[in-house]
DNA sequence: CAGTTTGTTTTGCT
DNA sequence: CAGCAAAACAAACT
């Protein structure tokens, strides 16, 4: 049976999985009317096409149709309404179905994908996918030894679906300093990083669905370290310059260049 | 009320 | 041309 859903923005991978599950009520239904202010979309071709499948890859929501697919990316501020409309907002994409129901997307990027989705997307890098391959993520990390931990987690080709919140929480949970280089992180720790990228994403989803996500944040937007009670650091780190929250005391900065003070002093002479 | 940002693509500079 | 920085998008929150 149909149900409505409204969503404020929090568009990391888990939120897109929640959206996918909600949008699946329309699978098998036929588009009756389509409109929106997105450029590059052949709206006239949409009516009459059945929605074959609703899929997702990281932060992408994918609507698979017989002639092409639609890719919706909520970016930072995107939102949607299912079986209802956002008052005073113009949808980027609005779909009405012949059997009833409607799907509306706002302030997002909508693109048409001509190729088969299985040729466009590598499902193995989506941290929430059944096809997720942690070993592939490890291999890709080892290929980028100089990359910082805070940048690595945000790399959508390695950890598709991980966003800034998940980044901060995973690093805090594992006690890894965001400025640690991949090559300096011990193998065991690196494997944990890969494992937690997925693990935390599923917890994020559960918490979000229970409307208790924010209260579970330990580092993101927090001022005090919940473990050692000292003030958390806050800065825009890495190539991505995204906001990082971390504890200088309990997150270890793995650094092969660092040496004990005694050694450093000897070399000075 | 001004400032900030859960993300990505595009533009433009050095 | 590579590499990087800034802009653009625009809404909800502090």
């Amino acid at each position: 049976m149909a149900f409505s859903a409204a969503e404020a923005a929090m568009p990391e991978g888990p939120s897109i999985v929640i959206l996918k599950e909600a949008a699946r009520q329309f699978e098998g239904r036929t588009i009756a009317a389509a409109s929106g202010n997105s450029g590059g979309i052949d709206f006239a071709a949409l009516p009459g096409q059945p929605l074959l499948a609703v899929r997702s890859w990281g932060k992408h929501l994918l609507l698979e149709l017989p002639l092409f697919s639609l890719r919706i990316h909520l970016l930072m501020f995107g939102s949607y309404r299912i079986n209802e409309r956002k008052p005073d907002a113009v949808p980027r994409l609005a779909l009405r179905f012949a059997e009833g129901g409607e799907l509306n997307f706002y302030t997002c990027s909508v693109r048409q994908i001509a190729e088969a989705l299985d040729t466009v997307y590598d499902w193995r890098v989506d941290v929430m996918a059944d096809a997720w391959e942690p070993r592939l993520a490890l291999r890709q990390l080892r290929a980028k030894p100089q990359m910082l931990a805070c940048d690595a987690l945000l790399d959508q080709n390695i950890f598709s679906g991980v966003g800034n919140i998940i980044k901060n929480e995973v690093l805090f949970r594992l006690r890894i300093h965001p400025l640690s280089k991949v090559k300096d992180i011990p193998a065991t720790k690196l494997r944990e990083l890969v494992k937690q990228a997925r693990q935390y994403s599923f917890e994020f989803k559960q918490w979000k669905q229970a409307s208790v996500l924010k209260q579970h944040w330990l580092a993101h937007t927090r001022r005090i370290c919940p473990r050692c009670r000292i003030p958390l650091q806050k800065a825009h780190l890495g190539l991505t310059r995204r906001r990082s929250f971390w504890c200088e005391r309990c997150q270890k900065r793995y650094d092969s260049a660092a040496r004990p003070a005694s050694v450093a002093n000897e070399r000075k002479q």
Side-chain angles (χ1 to χ4, degrees):
Chain A
M1 69 169 246
F3 58 94
S4 65
E7 212 38 71
M10 191 74 75
E12 300 193 20
S15 301
I16 304 308
V17 172
I18 292 169
L19 163 57
K20 171 175 69 178
E21 290 172 356
R24 282 199 160 146
Q25 63 183 286
F26 300 117
E27 279 183 348
R29 295 192 196 182
T30 301
I31 297 171
S35 61
N37 63 2
S38 299
I41 302 299
D42 186 0
F43 289 103
L46 291 171
Q49 290 199 64
L51 178 57
L52 299 179
V54 181
R55 308 173 73 177
S56 67
W57 181 85
K59 298 161 190 168
H60 301 202
L61 179 78
L62 303 162
L63 305 178
E64 205 168 10
L65 307 169
L67 299 181
F68 50 80
S69 295
L70 294 172
R71 188 214 75 173
I72 295 110
H73 196 305
L74 298 180
L75 302 177
M76 289 262 257
F77 312 118
S79 61
Y80 61 89
R81 294 292 186 276
I82 294 175
N83 296 328
E84 55 188 51
R85 293 173 196 184
K86 209 170 168 177
D88 309 318
V90 181
R92 281 276 153 73
L93 173 67
L95 299 176
R96 272 199 300 114
F97 293 91
E99 298 83 352
E102 60 182 280
L103 197 44
N104 301 301
F105 299 96
Y106 307 87
T107 42
C108 56
S109 160
V110 184
R111 282 199 192 176
Q112 222 166 280
I113 300 178
E115 301 85 359
L117 294 180
D118 287 337
T119 68
V120 176
Y121 288 101
D122 185 346
W123 312 103
R124 300 173 300 168
V125 304
D126 177 350
V127 297
M128 299 193 72
D130 293 339
W132 163 248
E133 271 188 25
R135 283 166 57 185
L136 177 58
L138 268 178
R139 203 185 316 150
Q140 295 204 83
L141 286 172
R142 288 196 212 100
K144 296 185 176 180
Q146 299 296 330
M147 199 178 222
L148 301 177
C150 60
D151 287 332
L153 277 165
L154 291 176
D155 189 325
Q156 299 299 295
N157 294 312
I158 305 176
F159 297 109
S160 175
V162 170
N164 205 36
I165 297 167
I166 297 172
K167 173 198 82 178
N168 282 319
E169 292 300 309
V170 166
L171 291 177
F172 181 81
R173 183 177 269 192
L174 293 175
R175 302 177 183 243
I176 298 172
H177 193 292
L179 292 177
S180 302
K181 284 180 186 158
V182 165
K183 70 177 173 61
D184 296 328
I185 301 174
T188 317
K189 209 69 184 170
L190 205 59
R191 279 197 296 273
E192 280 183 76
L193 182 75
V194 169
K195 188 175 180 181
Q196 281 298 324
R198 178 177 172 88
Q199 173 69 30
Y200 188 86
S201 294
F202 280 98
E203 289 178 40
F204 181 123
K205 175 171 178 272
Q206 295 297 318
W207 289 330
K208 186 173 164 84
Q209 287 178 307
S211 304
V212 292
L213 177 62
K214 274 189 193 181
Q215 57 190 265
H216 282 90
W217 291 347
L218 299 178
H220 190 77
T221 71
R222 303 300 294 266
R223 287 189 170 82
I224 305 292
C225 174
R227 280 198 286 251
C228 60
R229 318 306 308 179
I230 68 170
L232 285 176
Q233 305 297 307
K234 173 184 162 185
H236 293 82
L237 302 182
L239 293 173
T240 49
R241 314 304 308 172
R242 301 296 305 282
R243 240 184 357 163
S244 287
F245 297 85
W246 75 98
C247 175
E248 272 299 332
R249 183 178 293 170
C250 61
Q251 284 173 259
K252 180 172 169 60
R253 183 165 177 174
Y254 297 100
D255 185 0
S256 62
R259 61 191 68 218
S262 59
V263 178
N265 288 336
E266 273 174 39
R267 286 183 61 89
K268 268 185 206 164
Q269 323 225 344

